Amino acid sequence: MTILQFILWSVLKVAVVTVVMLLAVAYTVLLERKLVGRIQNRWGPNRVGPYGLLQPLVDGAKSFLKEDIIPTGVYKPLYLLAPILALGCSLITIGVVPFGESGVGPGGMDLFAISNVNIGLLVILGVTSIGVYGVALAGWSSNNKYSLLGSLRSSAQLVSYELALGLSLVGVVLRAGSLNLRVIVEQQGTRGILSWNIFGGLQFVAFFIYLMAAFAESNRSPFDLVEAESELTGGYHTEYSSMKFAMFFMAEYGNMINVGCVATLLFLGGWTNPFGSLFGTSHNLLVRALFPLFWFVLKVFCFLFLYVWVRGTLPRFRYDQLMNFGWRWLMPLAILNIVATSLWLAYR
Amino acid sequence: MHLILFIVFAGFCLAGAINLLVQSHPISSALSLIVVMTSLAVLYLLLGAEFLAAAQVIVYAGAIMVLFTFVVMLLNAGREERTLGSRAALRLGFPAVVIILAVIATVILHAQGLGTAKLSDGLTATKGATNIEVLSTVLFTKLLLPFEVTSVLILIAILGAVALARPGGGNEAERTGGK
């Protein structure tokens, strides 16, 4: 492949994936509103389009048309930088996520991943940890006590739960012997559901630690103290309006999708199907290309459903409970999991 | 390609470092430091040390600098003011920096067999093994003792910080309320 072809394909992949990602973000918002509505025994948005399906587009238009207010007391450079940082970090992560088999594309190229990085997992962790600055700087530069409290909470929460998150992934990495996301998925794809890390890999403890730490990392209920509306009005984005607020909003839902993707790749076998090779592999190229995509999207959708379900069910943690849970339960449990996995791998 | 990226990110790194010194607001300085650290990560990546690059971003840019900004926010530190001491530091600082750089340069020039750092494949000299494998082999065989001693040192530091930060500052009677 010449360099020109490489650039053209890369630009195409980036464009398609970004558009799909943004659409997914918009419709995750609708999914949440609909599901929370049903959980609370009401209909949710149902006026715009059939079943309210055009609601996200209208919401987007509304965000663009609202007046863009920049309060006088803010520290302007950082105030403007923060939403870009938050949304940017949440959209970059998908760049290293593989969502289909390799070698199905024309000329044996990698059609279902923007880039295949050999430290993909670390890249995702790095980008997530940079994403903290979006929230932290937004709160600080707003020059508002509520915002500052929200961003202080978020910094403390993210630093605490990032440890548990990182440690919970070590078991998976030990089993795969690689940080490459493709290798991790292919290692789970041998016997269908039985060889997924959550079942056959005996990583279900790690899975639950990851799940809880990831909920905290993406500032979602029950860990949404960052924007606890009863205490902090809106938390870190109190002073943001119009499209800048929408960017934080999109970043949050983008992070939910990222967490779903990572959990799918690391614990639920990625794009591999749950039946393994029970039904044989098809020789039709289209089927071979699209079925993995279907399984991947289905698994990520289950995670999004779980996110909304948890939000509609669980009350918010208290701040001391949050810290106790993170440091006294998740961290030691994650370390025990690493020890147990290493012993199992050494003596099996 | 490598050279272009090197020049661009070395430029970022230097610009961030200079901005760090020039800015009078602590949070701007902290953010410049983040720019320096992430550009350094890219330089590591160009040298073929992808694990070090990721660790640099996760540990320094992602964790340590978050704590820096956290503290700056918590103290709500304002702009620095120029005092007699800071003016004196400005006068003495530049000659001192020149001397230190000269010393370092002479040491590097006199050290034999260092070789030059090669862009793109400097650290992946071993065929078939990835960077992480080479690094962990060295860490857990040759450098096992220093590695473990460092970890114990950090553990002691953590315990000390916890002991000091508890109500009563490590004073048992005060903490339990004299019971």
Side-chain angles (χ1 to χ4, degrees), chain A residues 106-129:
Chain A
M109 66 163 291
D110 212 349
L111 197 59
F112 292 114
I114 291 178
S115 60
N116 186 12
V117 189
N118 65 347
I119 45 160
L121 191 57
L122 288 181
V123 170
I124 289 181
L125 286 180
V127 173
T128 326
S129 59

Side-chain angles (χ1 to χ4, degrees), chain A residues 207-249:
Chain A
F207 175 71
F208 283 108
I209 296 169
Y210 173 76
L211 203 62
M212 280 177 267
F215 270 49
E217 283 277 307
S218 50
N219 291 328
R220 289 285 302 182
S221 172
F223 301 101
D224 57 345
L225 294 106
V226 178
E227 42 189 312
E229 64 274 2
S230 50
E231 308 152 23
L232 299 178
T233 58
Y236 62 95
H237 54 55
T238 307
E239 296 288 355
Y240 281 88
S241 58
S242 171
M243 210 50 211
K244 293 200 202 66
F245 168 73
M247 281 166 92
F248 279 119
F249 203 63

Side-chain angles (χ1 to χ4, degrees), chain B residues 3 14 25 33 39 75 77 82 88 92 100 115 126 159 171 175:
Chain B
L3 194 65
L14 284 178
H25 207 291
L33 194 50
S39 335
L75 298 176
R82 296 212 178 281
L92 290 176
I100 290 173
T126 330
L159 290 179
N171 187 338
R175 188 163 61 236

